[in-house]
Amino acid sequence: VIFLGAGHSIKENKEKINSFLKKKKYITISLNINKHIDKRYIDKYIASYPSRILLEINDYKKVKSDIILPNVILNNVAKNQLKNNKLLDYGLKIKKGEFYVEKKYCTLPTPLAIGYGLAIAVIGNARKIFLAGFDGYQLNDERQKEMNDLLKLYQKNRNFPKIVSISHTSYQVSTEQII
């Protein structure tokens, strides 16, 4: 499985990434809306942050692929606006310092879409997880710490699939220069 993030490397390498995805060896999942990658190559979308979904609601209405999200985060207005989309529910509980994956829900330290996506990849029996567009932040940025803390919790479980970034990243994951 390949997760598409929103980092600058997606825009900078969009031709290479589109070419790589065109081969269709992997399931491609966009975390939130991605405006740089050809929609034909995106198999699913993942959303887990209520405010982000509302900000991108008009883009989600145009999506033809499945949207995986915890239904409980949608208010009635959002549900009504997405009534023509195929929504797949996977539950989400938030508990600081925890990363657990169950068949119908996950428990994560934050509602970051990457954590939610990693949990879905685990229940979907992914063998390896590739990241593209997860550039990271400055080392003193709290978002950098939040992401690395999440990745450490994930990586504690040796049975979970290995994470490999195929684009530049400052996160604590392996990298392979595929693109």
Side-chain angles (χ1 to χ4, degrees):
V1 72
I2 299 175
F3 287 120
L4 302 174
H8 292 294
S9 62
I10 283 281
K11 185 176 181 181
E12 293 166 4
N13 297 297
K14 70 180 180 181
E15 287 83 16
K16 289 179 183 176
I17 295 170
N18 278 323
S19 176
F20 180 74
L21 297 176
K22 191 176 182 178
K23 297 173 187 167
K24 276 300 189 197
K25 290 175 24 180
Y26 305 101
I27 294 172
T28 304
I29 300 174
S30 178
L31 301 185
N32 304 306
I33 294 294
N34 190 308
K35 297 182 187 228
H36 302 292
I37 300 301
D38 190 323
K39 288 179 180 66
R40 291 177 296 171
Y41 306 134
I42 298 175
D43 299 304
K44 300 191 183 311
Y45 290 81
I46 286 181
S48 59
Y49 237 103
S51 59
R52 183 78 183 254
I53 294 168
L54 293 175
L55 281 172
E56 298 177 333
I57 196 84
N58 289 324
D59 293 315
Y60 278 115
K61 288 176 5 183
K62 299 172 192 168
V63 164
K64 304 234 184 300
S65 303
D66 299 343
I67 304 170
I68 306 169
L69 48 76
N71 277 342
V72 296
I73 66 170
L74 293 179
N75 62 29
N76 288 334
V77 173
K79 283 181 186 175
N80 189 46
Q81 288 192 38
L82 296 174
K83 67 184 175 202
N84 294 323
N85 294 84
K86 184 172 180 187
L87 305 178
L88 304 176
D89 181 30
Y90 182 64
L92 171 62
K93 295 180 180 182
I94 305 299
K95 191 168 183 184
K96 188 174 172 75
E98 295 195 12
F99 196 117
Y100 295 108
V101 178
E102 303 292 336
K103 187 175 181 178
K104 296 193 182 256
Y105 70 94
C106 59
T107 303
L108 305 174
T110 69
L112 287 176
I114 183 60
Y116 188 68
L118 291 171
I120 290 166
V122 169
I123 64 156
N125 296 315
R127 287 176 276 177
K128 196 171 193 180
I129 298 169
F130 293 101
L131 305 179
F134 290 84
D135 303 354
Y137 302 95
Q138 298 293 323
L139 293 178
N140 61 349
D141 190 314
E142 190 58 35
R143 295 170 295 180
Q144 180 77 10
K145 181 181 179 328
E146 179 182 37
M147 179 69 163
N148 278 325
D149 289 348
L150 175 81
L151 291 169
K152 283 179 194 170
L153 284 172
Y154 173 89
Q155 292 165 342
K156 277 184 180 179
N157 190 321
R158 301 288 179 218
N159 295 324
F160 287 175
K162 181 179 180 181
I163 301 171
V164 176
S165 181
I166 60 171
S167 61
H168 169 76
T169 187
S170 62
Y171 295 130
Q172 297 169 350
V173 296
S174 300
T175 59
E176 289 180 19
Q177 292 305 315
I178 295 174
I179 57 169

